[in-house]
Structure formats: structure tokens, C-alpha cells
Amino acid sequence: MKKVLALVMALMLMALCGVATAEDAPKIGIAIYNFADNFMTLYRNELHRYLVEDLKIPEENVIIMDGKNDQAEQTNQIDGFIADNVDVMILNLVQTSSAASVIQKVDAAGIPTVFINREPTKEELDLSKLVCYVGADARQSGTFQGEIIAETENKGDFNGNGVVDYAMIMGDPENVDAQYRTEFSIKALEDAGLKVNKLYEQRGDWDQTKGQELAATVLTQFGNDVDVIFCNNDAMALGAYQAIVDNGRTVGKDIYLVGVDALDECQEMVKNGTMTGTVLNDHIGQSHTAADVALKAAKGEPMEQYYWVDYVKVTK
Ligand code: BGC
């Protein structure tokens, strides 16, 4: 009797402390589009830490796969999760164009799925009650970028021609984050009553090295005509910064530079003036929401279709 009592008490204590065993805790399949992505690395590490440390999911139940920027590879990983009968999936697709087929697949398998970072369309999410999107509204980040430039002393016009002459370094154009940041940053300038002139626009695929190469081309081609370099993310802005320095230009003195994400390095640069501004892409809020929603869904609770996390403007 004493033994039974001790066992019951031990189990109650485990439940109270939230310690789950691998068998009773949900199994979570997580697919990240590319482990090499700076921002998604912060996101992935926080998602793992939060699930394991704060939510006490046993480490072996949190399976995270690297899609290596290859949709075929990631589709295999998702098929693997389904075959493995995971309780819930958190998916950061390589190609958003594959969303419909992935949604049909997870719906047929009956596995609730939380999409993160790369937003499927509303029509795609409508295909199943078992899916949702957790993310930030990219229109907001673009608007903040434009506002940061509109709020500068010379309103984004160094060369004094009455126009904001800009270069746009885009992420992967299939991604709504890239589309909306490109569109809404310029819309915010126009909404502030400013005239704009697009000198250059190219895809840099979120990549620092490509950001540097493209910015170098811009500066060689257009020289002092360039007032602002907009980058759809901070990784590319870090690359662009290097090109600006190599070209003998100075941020804040003869050119402006903005990104999105608020990587630690870029927050420092905003503080010391080597970057004009950035926009916090809240990987902590997003990863925690994704994990919380996923765990509820694994218990069979219904999900809403969208969960939004705000961006935050970052200036000096
Ligand atoms: C981030 C980028 C990242 C991309 C990956 C965006 O929201 O701002 O830094 O490369 O997501 O999909």
C-alpha cells in the first residue's frame, strides 16, 4: 500500500512539475527551409529551447529537419514525419508554391500542421481545418522601413534632387515577405508625400553574399545617385553595408541603409549609426506562439486560421 502511495505521489509530482515521458508527450515534426538562413537559425534555436526547456517536451520528441533549400528533400522529410505518425507538424516550407499539395497530404493523414515564416495563401489554408499560419504581417515591416526613411532629416534625399532614389535588394520573390516588403516600403514613402525613383531591383534570396554583390553593382552603376538601399532582410543589409564601405560611402552621411529582422549585429549597427534602421521580426514571439498552438492542436483542440505577431520599428 505504501509503495502504491509513493508511486501515485511521484506521478502527481511529475505531472505538477510538467515532466513528460516520451510516450505521453506529443511527437513534433519540424521542417525548416534552410538551416543556413540567419533569421531562421534564431527562430529554430528558440523554438527548440522553448519546447524542451519551458514546455518540458522530451528532446527525442522534437524532431527538426533541414530542408537545405530543396523542396524535394523537404517533401521527403514531411513524408517521413507522416510515416512516423507524429502528432503535429511545424512547417517552414522551402517553396510556398508547394503549400496546396502539402496541405492535402497532411489533411489526408489527419495531422494538424502549423505553417511558419512562409505564408501560404488564404485559399490554400482554406483547404483544411487542420492547418494554420503563425507569422508576422510583412506589409507592416515594409511600411516601417519606408517610415524610417521618410522620418530622416532630409527625407531620404541626399543628392538634393527632390526624389528618393533607391535600390531594392529583394529576398526570394516567391515569398510574400519579399513581395510585401518591396511594395509597402515604397508605398510608405509615397504616403508620406515623397517622390520616389527606383534605380535598381534584384533578388538577393535573403543571402548576405548576394546582398553584398548586388549592392556593389548598384554603387558602381549609379554612384552618388543612390540615396537609399532597401534590403528585404538584415542578412542582405549586412552584405550591402560591406559594399557601401568598400565604395567609400558612409551610412547616415551620404546614403541610407535599412533591413528587417533586427539581428543582434544590426541592432548594434543601428545604435552606432552604421545602419539607418531595421525592423524587429520577433522570432521569440513567433516561435512561442507556433509551439503553443502546435501543442494544443496535438491534443485535438481546434486552431484558428491565423496567429499574428507584430513587427517593431528599430531606430537609433
Ligand atoms: C526573414 C528573412 C529570412 C526569411 C526566410 C524572413 O521573414 O526576414 O531574414 O531569410 O524570412 O524565409
Side-chain angles (χ1 to χ4, degrees), residues 24-178:
D24 61 28
K27 200 180 221 189
I28 308 165
I30 302 172
I32 299 296
Y33 98 92
N34 189 3
F35 277 13
D37 183 285
N38 305 33
F39 172 74
M40 283 315 299
T41 300
L42 293 175
Y43 193 128
R44 160 170 60 96
N45 290 343
E46 180 58 24
L47 180 60
H48 181 263
R49 191 206 63 73
Y50 181 67
L51 282 165
V52 173
E53 286 177 25
D54 294 3
L55 301 181
K56 312 281 182 224
I57 304 294
E59 188 130 29
E60 64 262 43
N61 285 29
V62 181
I63 311 141
I64 309 189
M65 306 294 272
D66 180 3
K68 302 189 184 126
N69 211 13
D70 175 347
Q71 188 56 58
E73 168 122 18
Q74 188 180 60
T75 302
N76 283 335
Q77 294 167 352
I78 295 169
D79 290 342
F81 287 149
I82 293 173
D84 199 18
N85 220 357
V86 297
D87 296 291
V88 64
M89 288 191 265
I90 298 178
L91 303 182
N92 168 215
L93 294 179
V94 174
Q95 284 173 339
T96 18
S97 55
S98 64
S101 69
V102 172
I103 290 172
Q104 274 149 3
K105 209 178 259 201
V106 303
D107 190 68
I111 300 176
T113 297
V114 178
F115 288 96
I116 57 165
N117 177 253
R118 295 186 159 187
E119 188 187 334
T121 63
K122 166 92 170 84
E123 291 69 37
E124 288 161 345
L125 291 176
D126 280 345
L127 293 170
S128 170
K129 286 252 171 301
L130 288 179
V131 301
C132 74
Y133 178 68
V134 173
D137 180 355
R139 282 169 282 213
Q140 191 185 32
S141 53
T143 302
F144 285 164
Q145 284 190 300
E147 287 176 1
I148 290 170
I149 297 304
E151 284 156 12
T152 57
E153 219 170 292
N154 58 6
K155 300 189 185 320
D157 182 17
F158 278 114
N159 57 28
N161 64 352
V163 178
V164 182
D165 299 287
Y166 71 92
M168 182 69 67
I169 300 187
M170 290 185 72
D172 159 15
E174 191 185 294
N175 191 322
V176 289
D177 284 6

Side-chain angles (χ1 to χ4, degrees), residues 6-32:
L7 186 69
V8 170
M9 281 177 70
L11 284 172
M12 278 171 64
L13 200 68
M14 273 173 81
L16 272 176
C17 301
V19 179
T21 57
E23 294 83 61
D24 61 28
K27 200 180 221 189
I28 308 165
I30 302 172
I32 299 296

